[in-house]
Amino acid sequence: MAKQLHSVRTEFIDSVSDAVLSQLLDRLLQKGMLTQEEVEIANGTRRADKARYVVDTVIKKGSKVSLFLIENYCKLDPHSDLCRKLTHP
């Protein structure tokens, strides 16, 4: 999953909305997959930098966290082209 997420990194950065990013951060924090400090770092940046930080941090944490991000992204934005790519590679 980390490789799959890495393959769409640029598209994720370009397309994910700030609202979806905020919800993803909340869910990742709630599940203990990101620390409070990581969430604060992400929230202290503009949308593109926040998306870049989130995707890079999640990829580094491995497949389990990457899968969680992908699943939750697709729950929050199910009709996006990126979600279709991630669920139907």
Side-chain angles (χ1 to χ4, degrees):
M1 285 296 141
K3 284 184 179 184
Q4 184 181 5
L5 191 54
H6 189 269
S7 73
V8 296
R9 178 183 180 272
T10 301
E11 191 173 347
F12 180 84
I13 293 166
D14 290 343
S15 65
V16 66
S17 71
D18 198 43
V20 169
L21 273 173
S22 293
Q23 291 177 67
L24 288 170
L25 283 166
D26 289 344
R27 291 176 182 197
L28 287 160
L29 178 63
Q30 183 179 25
K31 290 293 183 181
M33 295 179 170
L34 290 181
T35 66
Q36 183 67 42
E37 182 181 9
E38 289 169 327
V39 171
E40 288 172 8
I41 290 169
N43 282 329
T45 61
R46 60 188 184 90
R47 190 212 53 84
D49 290 333
K50 183 189 292 188
R52 185 174 293 108
Y53 180 83
V54 169
V55 74
D56 289 346
T57 301
V58 165
I59 288 168
K60 287 177 193 172
K61 291 182 182 264
S63 290
K64 180 180 176 184
V65 181
S66 296
L67 177 61
F68 184 84
L69 177 73
I70 290 167
E71 289 174 346
N72 281 275
Y73 173 75
C74 288
K75 287 177 186 174
L76 295 166
D77 198 359
H79 303 294
S80 71
D81 290 337
L82 181 56
C83 181
R84 284 191 280 279
K85 282 183 183 180
L86 288 167
T87 56
H88 301 95

